[in-house]
Every structure is written in structure tokens, then in C-alpha cells.
Amino acid sequence: MSSSDRSQAVGGKRSYEVRTYGCQMNVHDSERLSGLLEGAGYVRAPADADGDADVVVFNTCAVRENADNKLYGNLGRLAPMKTKRPGMQIAVGGCLAQKDRDTIVRRAPWVDVVFGTHNIGKLPVLLERARVQEEAQVEIAESLEAFPSTLPTRRESAYAAWVSISVGCNNTCTFCIVPALRGKEKDRRPGDILAEIEALVAEGVSEITLLGQNVNAYGSDIGDREAFSKLLRACGTIEGLERVRFTSPHPRDFTDDVIAAMAETPNVMPQLHMPLQSGSDTILKAMRRSYRQDRYLGIIDKVRAAIPHAAISTDIIVGFPGETEEDFEQTMRVVREARFAQAFTFQYSKRPGTPAAEMDGQIPKEVVQERYMRLSALQEEISWNENKSQVGRTLEVMVAEGEGRKDGATHRLSGRAPDNRLVHFTKPDEEVRPGDVVTVEITYAAPHHLLAEGPTRTVRRTRAGDAWDKRNATEAAKPAGVLLGLPTVGVPAPLPAVTGGCGAE
């Protein structure tokens, strides 16, 4: 479709595309950026636009390796497209924008707007100012101007939603630049959080994921050490809210009252993602992680005692500066003992602006790679064995869309068990919609998914499924040619490779 065709397809309104990199916080921020743009009169470009839109927004990450090279490569590919499309604008926001600021416009002078993590609400104004003044607008706020949840949001899922409870982080992990870019922790008022959740449930949402850079430190900014466990329990009183998850917690703040709230609140799911980073006390100290191996394993033991079927996952960095073979073996020991359902493993590499990048004892890449392969092989074996323990169990699976890439060919559907394991199941004869809940028996286990090959035992149609129907009917009713794309429905990406500040490497 040509640019002129696209302009006609959206009825003369300016179209937009948002490209997101990084953690769940960025994913949720992009929902807000979409909401802001649609509130300003823009319409979403087709899913296959690939930069062929009137406004292209990059929501960047400063954590991933070579994040800046990837950004400038993508910007370079858009330069000739912008030349051919009069009035096209390009905006760059997020953590890399907060860090690099004027560098972006200097290296890519065709960029129109650069904005930071603290002022995403200014995007429509900055775009209009750049258009009128015909020059780039760079505006980076040094502190949060307004809590992002007050901004309009275009939710990507009809039944599952992110809910931010805090922004920023008070930790000083030596491998992480996120606190410097997101700022100190700022907590939302509990009443505001619960009001947002209740409003989402009223719209048909049945699952929410509480988000924070260090989610279980919630309360430190408002002076209540038990605020997070109280919030979990309060979620349990919201009628119609079936599943509650949270990410990512820090072991330092993982207290007994949180474990009790998880165990005693029925709609808080038996799932925990808790970054380990290293099993070596020496390396943990060098990372400025305020816990040690015994403390971490003690939390795992307490969670399993209170919630026997909990699925526990983690993040691990291999090859941190100064890591010896003995340090690495301590990490392997923790992995064997903790028996994680899943582990996201990262090969350490320098991140500009972090203390670790200047440390002595940088590990040769070939050593890091060899350790990484050993750890990955061990975790793959453990994940498979842990999944095999699910065979024969009957599970309630919340149906998702887009989780099973082969579902069309295999005549299956996919969804998530309460502990967030991915389950593929035989498609039943009756209609099943994303957001509905099915009961199935697990017959086979692979390292990264479960399979239910027998007939579906029960199908429960839900308000969430109704919400999915309503959203699709609304999209279908739009004037012919308005291709905004089907909503991406499903549990918000449960555990991306980068998980917040403490889980990021």
C-alpha cells in the first residue's frame, strides 16, 4: 500500500506507529503513548506499516546490548522514507532518550522530537511544536511531572492489563542504569491503584499484572513497609478479578507478609519471578545486591512451603566482572537447588554509564559464552523435569491469542495456567474466545510448554471473552479500509528477556 493509499485508508487523519524495546514498563508506557496520540486525533497505522506512517515513535531501552546502534540503524532506514513522505515525523523517547538527549538529534538530524521517561505526556504537544517551528524539539524532564497512570491508555489486550504501582528504583546495582534514568521510586496511592483495577474489571479485564521497577518495595515512598502485601490482599476483594500477578520483586524486600498474602489471597497466582543475578556472595556484593545466597534460597523455601505448586522463575547474569569458576559454580549450585521453572540468562557485557563497565576483571567473551552454555543446558534439563511433574494434572487455562505460533496447523488453542506455564490444548467443538477459561488434563511436557492432547473437559465463557468479542466487533464496524489491526490479546508478555531494572542486564 502506498503512502497516499494509507492516508486515504485512515480517512485523512494522521497515522502513527509505536515501536517498543525493553521491559514491561516500556510496553505499558507505549500503551500510554498510543492513547495520547489517539486522543490527539491520530489513528494507528496498519500492523504491516513498517515505518510507513505519519508519525513513528521509538520507545527505547538503554539496557539491552547495542541498544544505541540498533536505534540509529532503524532511524537510518527511515531517513529516505521521510524524504519521500512530506510531513512525516519521527520521535524518540524512553530510557535511551533520557540518557543520550541531544546526541540523538546530532547523530540523526531528521528526528523531530526527543522526550524522556518523565514527560511522555508531552509527546503530542512536542510533535505539534516541531511541525509549526520546523525544528527538532528536545525536552527531557529531570523528575516525574505526573504519574503516568493519569494519562490516556490504549490497552493492547481486552482481558489482561498492566497496572503500574510505582515508577523508579532506589537500588544502586552496579550493572543497571535504569535507576539513573527512571529516577527514585515514586509510589501511587493505594486507592488510585485499586480504582484503576476496578475500572478495568468493569470493562471486562479479568487478569492484571502489578508493575514496578522493584515492585515489592512498594510502600517505601509512602511510609508503609507492608503496603505491598496489603495491596495484594485488597486485590482479592475485587469481584470479577480472577488473576493477579506482579513483576519484578527484589529479594531484599521479599518479606514474610508478602508470602502470606500470596498464599492466602485466592486470585493471586502461584507464580513468582525473582531475579537471582548470581549465586556467589562475592559477586552479589560486587553487584550491590543486598542479599546473599542463603537469604535467596530461604525465600524460595518459604514460598514453596506456603504455595507448594508455585512456579518460580529468575534472571541470571553470567560473566560479571571478577567472576571466577568457583563463583560460577555457586550460581550453578543455586540453580540446582532452587529448581526454577524457567531462568532468563544473560551474558554480561559492558553498559555505558554503569559502575560495572569500569570494573577490573572483565571476563573474556569466550569464557562467558562457555559458562552461559553450561548454565543454559542445566536450566533446560531442570525446566523439562519441572514441567514433566505437571503431566496428569488438571489445570484451568485462560485462553490467549497469539501464544501458539503453530495453533492453526495443529488445530489447537493456547493459554496460560495459573502458574503462568504456557499450555497448548486441543481445540474443542464449541466456540472458545481469548479470555475464556478451559479445564484440561496435561498429557505431555516440553521444556517450555505443556500439552493437553485429550478433549477439553469444560469451557467457561467469561466477561473477559465478551470484552474480546466487543472489541473485535468495534474494529470490524470501522469504515472499510481503516486497518488498525486486531488487538494483541493475551496475557501481557509474561517474562520478557528484560524484566525491569533489577532483572535487566
Side-chain angles (χ1 to χ4, degrees):
M1 184 183 291
S2 68
S3 297
S4 59
D5 290 337
R6 290 189 189 277
S7 295
Q8 293 173 0
V10 293
K13 290 187 176 182
R14 285 169 60 79
S15 59
Y16 77 90
E17 176 188 353
V18 178
R19 300 187 186 183
T20 309
Y21 305 91
C23 67
Q24 297 100 322
M25 302 295 285
N26 270 18
V27 173
H28 192 24
D29 281 349
S30 288
E31 291 185 325
R32 296 187 180 108
L33 292 170
S34 296
L36 284 161
L37 290 170
E38 293 188 8
Y42 294 82
V43 296
R44 176 174 283 195
D48 63 347
D50 193 24
D52 194 4
D54 294 300
V55 172
V56 180
V57 182
F58 291 88
N59 190 8
T60 64
C61 172
V63 173
R64 290 185 183 274
E65 187 175 6
N66 298 321
D68 52 347
N69 291 336
K70 293 174 183 176
L71 170 65
Y72 294 118
N74 285 322
L75 290 175
R77 283 188 284 275
L78 287 187
M81 192 175 294
K82 185 177 181 183
T83 301
K84 297 176 183 177
R85 184 173 185 137
M88 180 181 179
Q89 291 182 296
I90 300 171
V92 179
C95 288
L96 193 63
Q98 187 80 21
K99 181 172 83 74
D100 284 0
R101 308 182 181 219
D102 296 323
T103 303
I104 294 173
V105 174
R106 187 170 66 249
R107 290 185 60 177
W110 54 92
V111 168
D112 299 275
V113 171
V114 178
F115 62 101
T117 59
H118 299 309
N119 62 332
I120 63 175
K122 291 289 187 66
L123 177 59
V125 172
L126 293 172
L127 287 168
E128 181 63 13
R129 193 187 302 165
R131 186 187 66 80
V132 172
Q133 298 182 7
E134 297 185 341
E135 64 179 12
Q137 302 295 309
V138 180
E139 188 169 308
I140 307 291
E142 296 300 331
S143 59
L144 194 65
E145 295 182 345
F147 203 94
S149 288
T150 61
L151 301 173
T153 302
R154 186 196 194 280
R155 302 276 179 180
E156 289 299 322
S157 170
Y159 80 87
W162 308 107
V163 175
S164 288
I165 67 172
S166 64
V167 295
C169 180
N170 294 335
N171 293 315
T172 57
C173 301
T174 55
F175 58 80
C176 185
I177 198 171
V178 171
L181 303 178
R182 292 273 182 179
K184 293 292 185 181
E185 181 178 325
K186 295 292 182 183
D187 294 336
R188 291 178 70 190
R189 292 167 55 91
D192 292 341
I193 297 169
L194 294 171
E196 180 181 358
I197 295 171
E198 288 170 350
L200 288 167
V201 171
E203 294 171 2
V205 168
S206 60
E207 174 173 320
I208 60 103
T209 301
L210 303 175
L211 277 185
Q213 223 75 49
N214 181 10
V215 70
N216 60 326
Y218 176 75
S220 62
D221 182 47
I222 57 179
D224 184 352
R225 294 178 63 88
E226 296 189 353
F228 186 62
S229 62
K230 292 175 182 176
L231 181 62
L232 291 178
R233 292 183 185 277
C235 286
T237 66
I238 298 176
E239 186 176 353
L241 179 58
E242 297 194 17
R243 296 186 174 192
V244 178
R245 306 185 191 276
F246 57 88
T247 195
S248 288
H250 193 294
R252 182 195 67 184
D253 303 297
F254 212 90
T255 48
D256 290 349
D257 60 297
V258 173
I259 297 173
M262 291 177 65
E264 296 166 10
T265 310
N267 63 355
V268 175
M269 294 294 96
Q271 173 211 352
L272 174 63
H273 180 76
M274 188 166 64
L276 167 66
Q277 307 301 14
S278 175
S280 162
D281 289 353
T282 301
I283 297 301
L284 288 170
K285 183 178 180 181
M287 289 177 167
R288 289 193 203 142
R289 300 286 287 179
S290 48
Y291 56 90
R292 298 297 178 257
Q293 181 187 118
D294 287 349
R295 160 75 173 153
Y296 187 94
L297 288 173
I299 294 171
I300 298 292
D301 289 342
K302 287 181 178 180
V303 170
R304 289 221 165 99
I307 315 168
H309 289 299
I312 301 174
S313 57
T314 195
D315 298 326
I316 299 172
I317 298 171
V318 177
F320 188 82
E323 182 187 75
T324 65
E325 181 64 22
E326 173 57 28
D327 292 324
F328 176 68
E329 284 298 332
Q330 287 299 308
T331 296
M332 297 283 275
R333 173 184 178 271
V334 174
V335 169
R336 290 188 187 98
E337 189 166 335
R339 302 199 65 78
F340 299 112
Q342 195 171 13
F344 298 95
T345 54
F346 306 87
Q347 297 183 50
Y348 174 80
S349 60
K350 291 183 179 181
R351 298 295 189 269
T354 63
E358 306 301 323
M359 287 182 175
D360 294 332
Q362 301 288 328
I363 311 298
K365 184 168 181 59
E366 60 271 18
V367 175
V368 178
Q369 173 71 16
E370 189 274 335
R371 291 176 183 171
Y372 173 82
M373 295 302 293
R374 274 193 280 156
L375 176 59
S376 297
L378 172 63
Q379 182 56 51
E380 187 87 352
E381 178 185 352
I382 292 172
S383 293
W384 200 352
N385 286 332
E386 289 297 300
N387 274 359
K388 286 176 182 176
S389 70
Q390 303 295 307
V391 174
R393 292 189 66 197
T394 299
L395 302 177
E396 277 200 338
V397 175
M398 187 172 285
V399 183
E401 182 175 77
E403 293 268 29
R405 290 174 294 177
K406 300 179 181 178
D407 282 353
T410 58
H411 302 289
R412 293 175 182 146
L413 296 175
S414 300
R416 295 279 171 174
D419 64 9
N420 214 31
R421 283 183 166 94
L422 177 62
V423 179
H424 304 301
F425 60 94
T426 302
K427 187 175 182 179
D429 293 333
E430 60 189 289
E431 180 190 20
V432 180
R433 308 159 300 175
D436 288 340
V437 176
V438 300
T439 304
V440 298
E441 181 180 342
I442 304 303
T443 58
Y444 176 80
H448 305 292
H449 70 266
L450 302 173
L451 186 60
E453 299 167 293
T456 301
R457 294 192 173 184
T458 63
V459 174
R460 176 164 61 88
R461 294 174 68 84
T462 64
R463 292 171 57 254
D466 294 342
W468 186 87
D469 271 345
K470 181 179 179 181
R471 174 178 283 198
N472 280 277
T474 300
E475 296 290 349
K478 291 182 183 295
V482 180
L483 303 175
L484 299 187
L486 291 176
T488 303
V489 180
V491 178
L495 294 172
V498 178
T499 51
C502 294
E505 200 290 283

